[in-house]
């Protein structure tokens, strides 16, 4: 439908999972997409597939983040949309057993990365207006046992979203977040395999008990379904929506 014709987009963590689904959908809608990911090989191969630009970046590194936006400007002359998607889901651990270093890694990738990318995207976005989309989580709306670091980082993403929406609005920049429930990515399947083995139950039983039975729609969510909502939020269809959070979790 070409909803994003002529738009220039940076997607962090764009090389796999939800980010890759967003890159593919946005490119299919006419955008030029910068796939910015710590995995250089995957970023470049997806960029080639969608005729975009693949850039290796660790979103925790301010100089590397600055370079992403200057490369974007050199290649395309502007920026319209930033998707702060890069993030990690840590293993489940009680708070009294979380190492400080592990706590810090989660907060650094999930939150500091979004701060740095937003900071360095703003000068480009302010030129023409645009949109920022932050990947929060269902665990950014409700606390979850053994996920306190992850949940705290995702609650913070919503605070960042609402605050930056207030600051950036006068420049014609909208800022929203998506709060996915369980999304069936390759990484999710790996996590399930590990947890099922540790619990001594089948993957099917674990998925049913923990994810699909509690969901009104009795299923998990596909990455393409997150991408579809991302497209809505950055498109003109959502022109008056800012500082908002959309939960996509099949009715958990
Ligand atoms: P994923 O692991 O499949 O993909 C994440 C991507 O981010 C990978 O390509 C990885 O290389 C990249 N990345 C990791 N650390 C990085 C860093 N420091 N700098 C740059 N890139 C980095 O994960 P996903 O499941 O697609 O998750 C994407 C986002 O969605 C994350 O923010 C995650 O917290 C959020 N989320 C996922 C789910 C889910 O069930 N999959 C649910 C709610 C929220």
């Amino acid at each position: 439908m070409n909803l994003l014709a002529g738009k220039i987009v940076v997607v962090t963590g764009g090389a796999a999972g939800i980010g890759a689904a967003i890159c593919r959908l946005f490119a299919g809608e006419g955008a030029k997409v910068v796939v910015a990911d710590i995995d250089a090989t995957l970023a470049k191969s997806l960029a080639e597939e969608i005729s975009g630009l693949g850039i290796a970046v660790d979103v925790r590194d301010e100089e590397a983040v600055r370079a992403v936006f200057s490369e974007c400007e050199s290649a395309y002359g502007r920026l319209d949309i930033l998707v702060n998607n890069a993030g990690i889901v840590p293993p489940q651990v009680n708070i009294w057993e979380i190492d400080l270093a592990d706590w810090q890694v989660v907060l650094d990738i999930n939150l500091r990365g979004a701060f740095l990318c937003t900071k360095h995207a703003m000068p480009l976005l302010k030129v023409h207006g645009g949109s920022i989309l932050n990947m929060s989580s269902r665990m950014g709306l409700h606390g979850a046992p053994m996920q306190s670091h992850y949940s705290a980082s995702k609650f913070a993403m919503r605070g960042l979203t609402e605050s930056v929406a207030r600051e950036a609005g006068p420049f014609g920049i909208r800022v929203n977040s998506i709060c996915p429930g369980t999304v069936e990515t390759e990484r999710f399947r790996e996590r399930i395999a590990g947890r099922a083995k540790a619990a001594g139950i089948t993957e099917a039983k674990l998925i049913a008990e923990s994810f699909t039975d509690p969901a009104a729609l009795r299923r998990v969510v596909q990455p393409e379904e997150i991408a579809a909502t991302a497209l809505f939020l950055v498109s003109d269809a959502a022109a008056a929506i800012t500082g908002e959070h959309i939960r996509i979790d099949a009715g958990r």
Side-chain angles (χ1 to χ4, degrees):
M1 295 216 295
N2 266 358
L3 283 177
L4 302 180
K7 301 290 187 198
I8 309 301
V9 184
V10 169
V11 181
T12 70
I18 294 170
I22 292 174
C23 290
R24 289 195 174 96
L25 180 63
F26 283 20
E29 292 289 340
K32 281 286 174 203
V33 180
V34 177
V35 184
D37 200 288
I38 200 165
D39 188 325
T41 311
L42 273 185
K44 286 190 195 307
S45 101
L46 178 57
E48 202 171 311
E49 176 194 320
I50 62 174
S51 302
L53 183 64
I55 303 180
V57 64
D58 182 338
V59 292
R60 292 168 288 185
D61 175 348
E62 183 159 23
E63 281 321 302
V65 166
R66 196 193 305 272
V68 168
F69 294 99
S70 74
E71 277 189 58
C72 173
E73 189 178 20
S74 305
Y76 300 120
R78 60 186 283 151
L79 175 69
D80 300 284
I81 296 161
L82 165 65
V83 182
N84 280 317
N85 166 75
I88 55 160
V89 183
Q92 293 188 310
V93 190
N94 284 309
I95 191 155
W96 55 89
E97 290 167 334
I98 297 176
D99 287 338
L100 178 57
D102 293 339
W103 172 275
Q104 201 57 50
V105 167
V106 173
L107 270 291
D108 281 352
I109 296 177
N110 292 5
L111 182 59
R112 168 182 158 143
F115 153 61
L116 289 175
C117 290
T118 302
K119 173 181 171 183
H120 291 288
M122 279 301 294
L124 283 175
L125 291 173
K126 279 163 73 179
V127 177
H128 305 283
S131 183
I132 299 174
L133 190 58
N134 292 325
M135 204 54 72
S136 179
S137 169
R138 185 173 163 274
M139 286 187 222
L141 293 162
H142 311 282
M146 305 179 90
Q147 291 281 294
S148 53
H149 37 4
Y150 183 73
S151 182
S153 75
K154 293 301 184 179
F155 266 79
M157 284 295 265
R158 292 195 303 113
L160 187 74
T161 299
E162 292 185 21
S163 301
V164 181
R166 307 291 311 185
E167 284 178 47
F171 299 97
I173 300 165
R174 300 184 298 105
V175 190
N176 294 292
S177 83
I178 291 182
C179 303
T182 305
V183 182
E184 195 175 7
T185 58
E186 205 171 305
R187 212 60 63 90
F188 165 74
R189 285 189 289 271
E190 287 167 13
R191 277 198 302 275
I192 289 305
R195 279 178 56 186
K197 198 170 166 202
I201 57 174
T202 64
E203 290 175 32
K205 186 172 163 59
L206 178 64
I207 288 175
E209 283 177 358
S210 302
F211 303 106
T212 56
D213 287 356
L217 298 178
R218 300 289 189 272
R219 68 178 182 86
V220 294
V221 179
Q222 296 305 311
E224 293 73 20
E225 295 175 305
I226 305 298
T229 300
L231 175 63
F232 164 69
L233 281 173
V234 304
S235 76
D236 288 344
I241 299 178
T242 195
E244 191 53 87
H245 317 288
I246 297 188
R247 185 166 62 101
I248 313 169
D249 66 353
R252 281 285 291 277

